[in-house]
Amino acid sequence: LKKSRDPVAPAKASDVAIKKASSKRNSDDIPIVKFDLALESLKSISVPSIAFQDLKTGKKACFILRPELSPFQQKACQLIKEIPKYP
């Protein structure tokens, strides 16, 4: 007979889980944060633009200022882009 784990006993953490818990970082070396703090970090991303018109020539120009994202924000944006789009 196959020996099975005691269903009442606490599960044994894997080496990866122990390393992650002790370092407080994931496998990408990004700090592990609580969900509400993660949302606050993502909420702070803005992409301001500046538009102006030359009064003499009438030419218009627009500049988009790209924010510098933290490693966490970069990873979150990458994962969001990987979400499959449904019709």
Side-chain angles (χ1 to χ4, degrees):
L1 291 172
K2 183 177 176 183
K3 184 178 179 182
S4 62
R5 185 179 75 80
D6 180 355
V8 180
K12 183 179 181 227
S14 68
D15 292 339
V16 173
I18 293 169
K19 181 180 176 185
K20 188 186 292 187
S22 65
S23 69
K24 304 286 190 242
R25 294 183 167 272
N26 67 11
S27 58
D28 294 328
D29 200 35
I30 295 173
I32 297 171
V33 297
K34 292 182 178 182
F35 186 72
D36 58 338
L37 295 176
L39 289 179
E40 285 294 321
S41 175
L42 294 176
K43 188 171 72 171
S44 70
I45 299 173
S46 65
V47 184
S49 62
I50 299 171
F52 63 92
Q53 181 176 2
D54 186 314
L55 296 176
K56 290 182 181 178
T57 64
K59 288 186 177 181
K60 296 178 181 179
C62 181
F63 297 95
I64 297 174
L65 305 173
R66 301 281 180 208
E68 187 172 329
L69 302 177
S70 71
F72 169 79
Q73 291 169 328
Q74 290 174 10
K75 183 66 175 179
C77 290
Q78 173 193 349
L79 293 173
I80 289 168
K81 288 178 185 174
E82 293 175 8
I83 296 173
K85 296 181 175 112
Y86 296 100

